[in-house]
Amino acid sequence: DGQQDLADPPSYTRSVIQCAERLSYDNVDCLIAGEPHDIQPGVAEDLRVLASLTHQRRQRDLDKGQIDLRRLEARMEVSETGELVEVTNASAPASPSHILIEQCMVMAN
């Protein structure tokens, strides 16, 4: 129901995983942003709840001082003679779907 207290300890249950739908990062990003997507309604609702919970947890952790250690990717431009002309940040900001997956992986550990 999306009302889990994030301070509650996790519970462990035997389970079988069944794939309900094949998802792409782009499609999940559209869902999270409220844009048109083609994700099944039941799966879409579950993803909205999961996105909300992982967003709350990430914000709580950042508020408590967690450091975001995303690595920057440098793009270097060199001249024909091999001299460095420019260094720029080529890193794209993490998409909502990537952050959702990161948070799920952190919670799984």
Side-chain angles (χ1 to χ4, degrees):
D1 66 1
Q3 299 303 313
Q4 178 183 357
D5 183 355
L6 295 176
D8 289 345
S11 61
Y12 302 94
T13 307
R14 288 181 148 267
S15 61
V16 175
I17 298 172
Q18 295 181 345
C19 183
E21 186 162 346
R22 184 178 181 143
L23 302 169
S24 70
Y25 286 108
D26 290 338
N27 212 7
V28 173
D29 284 336
C30 287
L31 168 80
I32 292 171
E35 298 171 0
H37 58 82
D38 60 1
I39 300 173
Q40 297 174 38
V43 174
E45 184 54 32
D46 289 345
L47 284 170
R48 283 187 194 97
V49 170
L50 186 59
S52 174
L53 289 172
T54 56
H55 174 77
Q56 290 172 37
R57 182 178 178 99
R58 182 169 191 263
Q59 192 58 54
R60 182 197 70 186
D61 292 346
L62 291 171
D63 291 347
K64 289 169 110 178
Q66 180 185 50
I67 299 171
D68 188 355
L69 295 175
R70 282 194 182 81
R71 289 181 276 165
L72 297 178
E73 179 182 334
R75 177 166 294 158
M76 293 179 246
E77 182 181 339
V78 292
S79 69
E80 290 182 14
T81 61
E83 293 188 32
L84 184 62
V85 174
E86 183 178 24
V87 178
T88 57
N89 179 5
S91 302
S95 73
S97 59
H98 282 88
I99 292 171
L100 184 148
I101 295 297
E102 288 172 7
Q103 290 300 307
C104 288
M105 290 170 61
V106 167
M107 288 188 287
N109 288 314

